Amino acid sequence: MPNKTLADQEYKMFSDFLEQQCGIVLGQNKQYLVKSRLAPLMSQFGVETLSELVNRTLKAHERELRATVVDAMTTNETLWFRDTYPFDLLKNRLLPEFAAEGKKSVKIWSAASSSGQEPYSIAMTVDEYNSQNPGTKSVKASIVGTDISNSMLEHCKSAKYDSLAIARGLSTERKSKYFQDCGNGLLQVKDNIRRAITFRHLNLLDNYTLLGKFDIIFCRNVLIYFSPEVKSRIIGQFAKSLNPKGYLFLGASESMTGLSDDFDMVRCNPGIIYRKKT
């Protein structure tokens, strides 16, 4: 019978490893999370105990195992149009604002794409805005989706979702308009939406310079996993990655208080967005 327990010292060493690799802070008493995420990998890598899996992960030469473990620990559940208001603000406030300024093209970054729902929701929102505002008010969007998980990026690129994933936050109207049946019980995002997005691998602890400059950054429900020092560093890099007066979306439970002086908080009804100071 496989042993899925982990000694306190092993958990501490693994927690330190995970924070060093990708900034995620597990904190105390999250052994259950490590067990649920890593136990499925035991048979894949031919180990009998969770302890052995963790100890092998800590060895520098175990590159494939390390990558798979980090992948498993950083994969998050998500849904379409999460929290609703960021996409309403994008369609009803930000895109009209850019259009009024004569900006015909905007660049948007989804900084933690997970399985793709956020960047595809952004692309659908832009399409809906343009359908309602043809001609001079329309805005072309170039969207970049990044994630640390290679398996999630492959899922994003395939743009195929089962009925359970489709049911999480997607209206019947959007399902009909933006998806096509591709067999085997799966629906695929239509080509016109997929073409708006480029997916790339990125660790938020790394440098973002090569991504270029953006008008809007979505980084929602991600910073909660990082220490205050890492949060501050990431937000500082976001500020450098934004054009003047660019916008940053954080998660509904996330705050920039005490982390950065680079942004003005803009209170909306509902929700909050952050605008880069000029």
Side-chain angles (χ1 to χ4, degrees):
M1 188 76 177
N3 186 333
K4 299 177 182 178
T5 59
L6 207 57
D8 289 345
Q9 182 61 26
E10 291 170 327
Y11 173 75
K12 174 67 167 60
M13 291 169 65
F14 180 73
S15 298
D16 291 344
F17 160 80
L18 196 64
E19 184 172 1
Q20 181 185 31
Q21 291 295 309
C22 53
I24 289 179
V25 179
L26 282 177
Q28 296 181 335
N29 303 317
K30 290 288 181 69
Q31 283 93 334
Y32 70 89
L33 181 62
V34 176
K35 176 182 174 180
S36 66
R37 293 290 180 93
L38 300 190
L41 304 182
M42 291 168 60
S43 60
Q44 180 181 339
F45 287 92
V47 298
E48 288 295 318
T49 67
L50 190 60
S51 174
E52 182 185 351
L53 185 78
V54 164
N55 281 295
R56 279 182 55 183
T57 300
L58 299 177
K59 296 175 181 177
H61 67 274
E62 292 270 13
R63 292 184 180 179
E64 181 187 355
L65 175 57
R66 280 186 160 205
T68 306
V69 165
V70 169
D71 206 42
M73 292 302 301
T74 55
T75 298
N76 293 303
E77 284 286 320
T78 188
L79 61 157
W80 307 94
F81 298 90
R82 184 173 182 175
D83 298 326
T84 306
Y85 76 84
F87 306 96
D88 289 344
L89 288 174
L90 176 63
K91 180 164 64 175
N92 301 321
R93 179 169 179 156
L94 303 193
L95 293 177
E97 182 180 298
F98 287 127
E101 293 172 354
K103 195 173 180 71
K104 301 301 295 178
S105 178
V106 297
K107 195 172 177 186
I108 303 173
W109 176 16
S110 172
S113 297
S114 188
S115 47
Q117 281 88 334
E118 181 176 86
Y120 286 125
S121 295
I122 293 169
M124 292 174 203
T125 300
V126 174
D127 183 76
E128 289 173 352
Y129 167 79
N130 286 331
S131 295
Q132 296 165 10
N133 298 275
T136 57
K137 291 184 178 180
S138 66
V139 176
K140 182 181 179 182
S142 172
I143 302 163
V144 177
T146 65
D147 203 89
I148 192 174
S149 167
N150 285 318
S151 65
M152 285 294 99
L153 288 170
E154 289 305 311
H155 189 87
C156 290
K157 291 173 185 176
S158 77
K160 295 177 181 178
Y161 300 91
D162 61 24
S163 57
L164 189 62
I166 289 290
R168 291 169 60 84
L170 196 68
S171 69
T172 303
E173 293 77 17
R174 283 170 171 155
K175 175 182 172 182
S176 174
K177 183 176 181 181
Y178 293 117
F179 289 81
Q180 59 193 12
D181 193 324
C182 60
N184 299 317
L186 300 175
L187 293 178
Q188 185 174 40
V189 180
K190 289 183 178 178
D191 287 347
N192 64 312
I193 298 299
R194 294 173 64 192
R195 280 195 296 267
I197 308 170
T198 302
F199 290 102
R200 297 178 62 173
H201 179 272
L202 183 80
N203 186 332
L204 288 175
L205 300 187
D206 294 341
N207 190 289
Y208 316 155
T209 306
L210 293 178
L211 291 179
K213 296 281 191 177
F214 295 90
D215 300 294
I216 304 169
I217 296 175
F218 284 72
C219 185
R220 307 174 58 239
N221 309 298
V222 178
L223 295 183
I224 52 175
Y225 298 107
F226 299 131
S227 68
E229 295 77 18
V230 173
K231 287 180 187 177
S232 182
R233 191 165 83 239
I234 290 172
I235 291 171
Q237 286 212 79
F238 283 155
K240 293 176 182 177
S241 299
L242 280 167
N243 287 321
K245 296 184 179 180
Y247 289 97
L248 172 64
F249 282 94
L250 298 181
S253 63
E254 295 171 319
S255 169
M256 207 178 286
T257 304
L259 297 175
S260 173
D261 296 321
D262 295 320
F263 293 86
D264 290 317
M265 185 172 68
V266 181
R267 292 188 179 276
C268 307
N269 188 20
I272 290 171
I273 48 177
Y274 296 91
R275 182 165 49 207
K276 181 179 175 180
K277 292 179 179 177
T278 54

